[in-house]
């Protein structure tokens, strides 16, 4: 009875949607076009989306589907079931459900996950599915490039939101190759960048950690633990170097990211809030005005002029 109740709640919640969500389901005619094209047929998207704090999110497919399903959890917790085995998923992990197998997945009841997800197909699709059914770690580290990866995902979404022209489709498929490769080949992806993490510089390391967690709330203690310093020692070092406390600096980075989203996307204000880890749109507006001297709406209008 309990499981039935949860499933019913999940169905109701899914009809309402998740605050700040983005999702695209490609039309069947477009999928047929990509299947026929020599470039896109090797790897292409059928569905894609972003669900922040997806409370009551649940999906069970007793009849197998022909797509692979990737779910990348950046915050909260969830679970999935395949081949009769259930696995727990935490922030900083992803999994790929194989095509042709029944499966189920859902958000944790107490700490619902925030996820990026893609359904994909193609002649090379199986190459991006790990033979290990367990969730795979992609937790932030001193060489991680999570922001770069999320930027790729956002670029796929923005490209498809512009419409299904043939060029848009091929470009989105090309980015998909890169996005999946950042997960499947994690070590080369992290190594293929200049050292921008400070090479032992505690303040730069703390800023890098903040940028990699821009979609989350961070406490001073969490930032300090990452650097290996006490909160008071880190605060003194950080303020002495930057002139700001670590959390004030983190808020500046969040608003910087919000400005980029206002500049280069058509995302709604409430979606942008979730993308920078702020659930309260009123608080976001106050913080934005405090740092930028105008409201988010006024900023967007100014940039359009």
């Amino acid at each position: 009875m309990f499981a039935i109740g949860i499933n019913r709640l999940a169905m109701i919640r899914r009809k309402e949607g998740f605050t700040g969500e983005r999702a695209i389901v490609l039309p069947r005619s477009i999928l047929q076009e990509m299947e026929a094209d020599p470039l896109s047929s090797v790897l292409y998207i059928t569905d894609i989306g972003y669900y922040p704090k997806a409370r009551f999110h649940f999906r069970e497919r007793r009849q197998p589907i022909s797509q692979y399903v990737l779910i990348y959890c950046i915050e909260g917790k969830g679970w999935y079931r395949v081949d009769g085995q259930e696995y727990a998923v935490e922030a900083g992990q992803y999994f790929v459900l194989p095509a042709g197998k029944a499966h189920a997945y859902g958000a944790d009841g107490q700490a619902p996950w925030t996820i990026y997800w893609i359904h994909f197909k193609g002649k090379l699709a199986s190459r991006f599915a790990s033979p290990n059914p367990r969730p795979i770690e992609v937790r932030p580290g001193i060489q991680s490039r999570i922001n770069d990866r999320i930027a790729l995902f956002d670029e796929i979404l923005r490209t498809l939101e512009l419409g299904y022209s043939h060029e848009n489709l091929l470009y989105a498929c090309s980015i998909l190759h890169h996005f999946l490769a950042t997960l499947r080949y994690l070590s080369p992806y992290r190594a293929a960048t200049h050292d921008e993490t400070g090479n032992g510089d505690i303040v730069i390391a703390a800023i890098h950690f903040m940028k990699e967690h821009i979609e989350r709330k961070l406490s001073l203690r969490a930032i300090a633990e990452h650097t290996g310093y006490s909160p008071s020692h880190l605060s003194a070092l950080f303020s002495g170097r930057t002139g700001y406390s670590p959390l004030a600096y983190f808020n500046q980075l969040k608003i910087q990211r919000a400005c980029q989203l206002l500049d280069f996307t058509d995302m709604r204000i409430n979606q942008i809030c979730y993308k920078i880890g702020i659930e309260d749109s009123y608080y976001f507006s106050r913080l934005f005005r405090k740092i930028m001297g105008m409201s988010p709406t006024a900023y967007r209008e100014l940039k359009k002029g």
Side-chain angles (χ1 to χ4, degrees), residues 142 195-201 204:
I142 199 66
D195 183 9
E196 298 173 348
T197 60
N199 192 24
D201 186 310
I204 297 300

Side-chain angles (χ1 to χ4, degrees), residues 141-144 197 203-213:
I142 199 66
Q143 289 184 304
S144 59
T197 60
V203 172
I204 297 300
I207 292 172
H208 179 72
F209 184 70
M210 294 175 193
K211 293 176 73 173
E212 293 289 72
H213 288 83

Side-chain angles (χ1 to χ4, degrees), residues 2-303:
F2 179 74
I4 293 173
I6 289 292
N7 292 357
R8 184 173 295 138
L9 281 171
M11 292 175 65
I12 293 170
R13 186 67 188 88
R14 189 65 211 105
K15 289 178 181 179
E16 295 174 351
F18 305 111
T19 302
E21 75 169 274
R22 301 171 73 194
I24 291 177
V25 177
L26 276 73
R28 181 174 299 180
S29 60
I30 298 302
L31 299 181
Q32 291 171 344
E33 178 183 338
M34 289 194 289
E35 287 173 357
D37 187 278
L39 287 177
S40 58
S41 63
V42 297
L43 189 68
Y44 61 93
I45 300 158
T46 67
D47 311 69
I48 183 171
Y50 163 75
Y51 292 164
K53 291 183 171 50
R55 188 167 174 78
F56 300 127
H57 181 216
F58 171 83
R59 189 64 188 261
E60 182 174 21
R61 296 186 176 94
R62 297 181 182 180
Q63 295 298 320
I65 58 175
S66 59
Q67 303 102 321
Y68 289 81
V69 179
L70 177 143
I71 294 182
Y72 175 25
C73 176
I74 63 163
E75 187 176 5
K77 299 177 182 179
W79 60 272
Y80 64 98
R81 184 172 63 247
V82 64
D83 288 333
Q85 186 71 35
E86 189 166 305
Y87 303 92
V89 183
E90 298 181 352
Q93 295 182 327
Y94 80 93
F95 60 94
V96 179
L97 295 168
K101 289 190 176 183
H103 59 248
Y105 51 83
D108 180 81
Q110 301 302 314
W113 59 16
T114 292
I115 57 173
Y116 291 87
W117 57 268
I118 301 177
H119 293 208
F120 61 95
K121 295 178 68 173
K123 298 169 187 174
L124 297 182
S126 63
R127 301 293 183 92
F128 292 97
S130 170
N132 187 343
R134 295 185 175 278
I136 299 172
E137 300 274 351
V138 284
R139 296 187 190 279
I142 199 66
Q143 289 184 304
S144 59
R145 300 169 58 196
I146 292 174
N147 270 339
D148 293 345
R149 180 183 298 116
I150 298 306
L152 288 172
F153 187 96
D154 286 340
E155 192 159 346
I156 295 172
L157 263 176
R158 289 198 302 271
T159 299
L160 294 176
E161 286 171 348
L162 290 173
Y164 304 132
S165 70
H166 196 63
E167 282 193 347
N168 283 358
L169 294 173
L170 292 182
Y171 183 56
C173 291
S174 298
I175 307 171
L176 175 64
H177 274 265
H178 191 181
F179 177 80
L180 293 177
T182 71
L183 294 167
R184 187 72 176 87
Y185 309 109
L186 185 62
S187 294
Y189 170 68
R190 288 184 167 181
T193 184
H194 298 295
D195 183 9
E196 298 173 348
T197 60
N199 192 24
D201 186 310
I202 297 304
V203 172
I204 297 300
I207 292 172
H208 179 72
F209 184 70
M210 294 175 193
K211 293 176 73 173
E212 293 289 72
H213 288 83
I214 205 73
E215 297 190 27
R216 297 182 60 187
K217 296 178 182 177
L218 286 181
S219 65
L220 175 59
R221 180 171 297 278
I223 300 170
E225 286 178 354
H226 175 75
T227 65
Y229 280 59
S230 69
S232 58
H233 194 175
L234 174 65
S235 292
L237 287 173
F238 201 98
S239 298
R241 176 85 71 83
T242 68
Y244 297 94
S245 71
L247 293 184
Y249 200 93
F250 190 36
N251 280 337
Q252 289 185 354
L253 292 176
K254 285 179 178 289
I255 297 305
Q256 180 188 79
R257 179 60 179 149
C259 288
Q260 293 169 348
L261 295 172
L262 288 165
D263 286 342
F264 303 117
T265 78
D266 294 323
M267 292 173 63
R268 298 188 298 273
I269 299 298
N270 71 326
Q271 292 177 322
I272 291 174
C273 289
Y274 277 87
K275 291 290 284 182
I276 62 170
I278 297 176
E279 298 178 38
D280 186 337
S281 59
Y282 294 105
Y283 172 72
F284 167 68
S285 293
R286 291 197 303 272
L287 182 63
F288 192 98
R289 185 182 293 275
K290 177 181 178 181
I291 292 174
M292 298 301 297
M294 65 184 75
S295 70
T297 302
Y299 177 87
R300 175 170 267 171
E301 289 301 318
L302 180 66
K303 301 298 285 189

